[in-house]
Amino acid sequence: MDLKEKTAIVTGSTKGIGEAIAHELARQGATVVVSGRNAERAEAVCAQIRAAGGIATPVIADVALADDAKRLIDETVAAHGRVDILVNNAGITRDGLLMRMSEADWDAVIDINLKGAFNCIKAVTRQMMKQRYGRIVNITSVVGLMGNAGQVNYAASKAGLLGITKSVARELASRNITCNAIAPGFIETDMTDVLDEKARESLLTQIPLGRLGQGDDVARAVAFLCGENAGYITGQVLNVDGGMVMQ
């Protein structure tokens, strides 16, 4: 398996896309650290990975807090000796029209989605530089590329991740550390489950492949960027969106 003997941290991996990524990296042979704010869910995901023959440990952390992000890295190194892969997936939404959006809703989304990735990358950089090896993958969104009414905060956070990705790629390339981003389109998650049939049909008209994506579609793309076959790819954004955004 491509990721055998690698240790991977996946933030926000207690559900949704992050959970799918954790499972896929484990299937590829990685030891996975499942991280989020819900201890019960983190342990449940780890149990599922172990039941399938993988290796997983939970670390509860709020990545919006720099101390928590540092502890996440430190506990991973203490338990497994290294950190080869960091997937910054943790994210939330607090949707609302710009004129009605509260400062609290703006701050919450920026703190977790954008600052959280910054905190984790900063915390892991020294370890990866020491190893002279690392794979960093940031989960952004097509919304960060094209914008979306009612999601000014979310779009700003995801667009910011693009800048982080390219800047980190330039800073760390000389140490054999790559940094790339995945931009999912509309993926079947808890957020899309609440859509009524009319809203779902409207979404499908925007997607050339004519279907919503699955968490595994994103997870397989992440696994590729984390593997040896992607060693000469850095600073790139890969859209996993059924053709929704073509540039």
Side-chain angles (χ1 to χ4, degrees), residues 5-230:
E5 299 183 358
K6 303 298 185 186
T7 297
I9 296 172
V10 185
T11 69
S13 51
T14 58
K15 62 180 181 178
I17 292 173
E19 181 178 354
I21 293 169
H23 280 283
E24 180 62 26
L25 296 184
R27 280 193 290 268
Q28 295 292 331
T31 295
V32 178
V33 174
V34 174
S35 184
R37 296 184 293 181
N38 186 318
E40 184 176 347
R41 280 296 306 155
E43 185 52 57
V45 173
C46 287
Q48 292 166 6
I49 290 173
R50 295 182 198 122
I55 303 171
T57 57
V59 176
I60 307 309
D62 181 350
V63 296
L65 305 175
D67 288 346
D68 268 27
K70 183 178 184 302
R71 180 175 55 78
L72 170 60
I73 305 304
D74 289 346
E75 289 190 14
T76 300
V77 173
H80 305 293
R82 57 190 294 120
V83 182
D84 301 287
I85 296 163
L86 169 65
V87 182
N88 287 306
N89 171 77
I92 63 169
T93 57
R94 293 288 187 272
D95 296 349
L97 295 176
L98 172 63
M99 291 183 65
R100 298 176 182 173
M101 184 173 291
S102 68
E103 184 177 357
D105 284 346
W106 169 272
D107 288 346
V109 170
I110 296 298
D111 283 350
I112 293 177
N113 299 12
L114 186 58
K115 186 180 177 183
F118 163 77
N119 286 339
C120 289
I121 294 171
K122 182 177 180 181
V124 83
T125 294
R126 188 179 300 276
Q127 178 64 32
M128 286 186 172
M129 290 177 70
K130 179 182 177 182
Q131 298 166 179
R132 298 192 70 84
Y133 182 90
R135 299 283 188 267
I136 300 170
V137 180
N138 298 320
I139 306 302
T140 179
S141 169
V142 294
V143 171
L145 297 168
M146 58 187 285
N148 195 31
Q151 289 192 308
V152 167
N153 48 4
Y154 186 74
S157 71
K158 294 301 187 178
L161 279 176
L162 302 178
I164 286 179
T165 297
K166 293 177 183 295
S167 297
V168 170
R170 289 183 181 277
E171 284 195 25
L172 302 184
S174 65
R175 299 302 181 96
N176 194 33
I177 300 167
T178 66
C179 185
N180 294 288
I182 299 284
F186 288 106
I187 308 297
E188 293 270 15
T189 63
D190 292 344
M191 287 187 285
T192 58
D193 286 345
V194 302
L195 297 174
D196 60 30
E197 193 60 32
K198 184 176 180 180
R200 183 176 289 264
E201 288 177 2
S202 177
L203 283 182
L204 293 178
T205 64
Q206 304 174 51
I207 304 171
L209 284 181
R211 67 173 178 87
L212 298 186
Q214 302 296 315
D216 285 345
D217 293 320
V218 179
R220 286 188 288 265
V222 172
F224 167 70
L225 289 176
C226 292
E228 294 307 311
N229 289 337

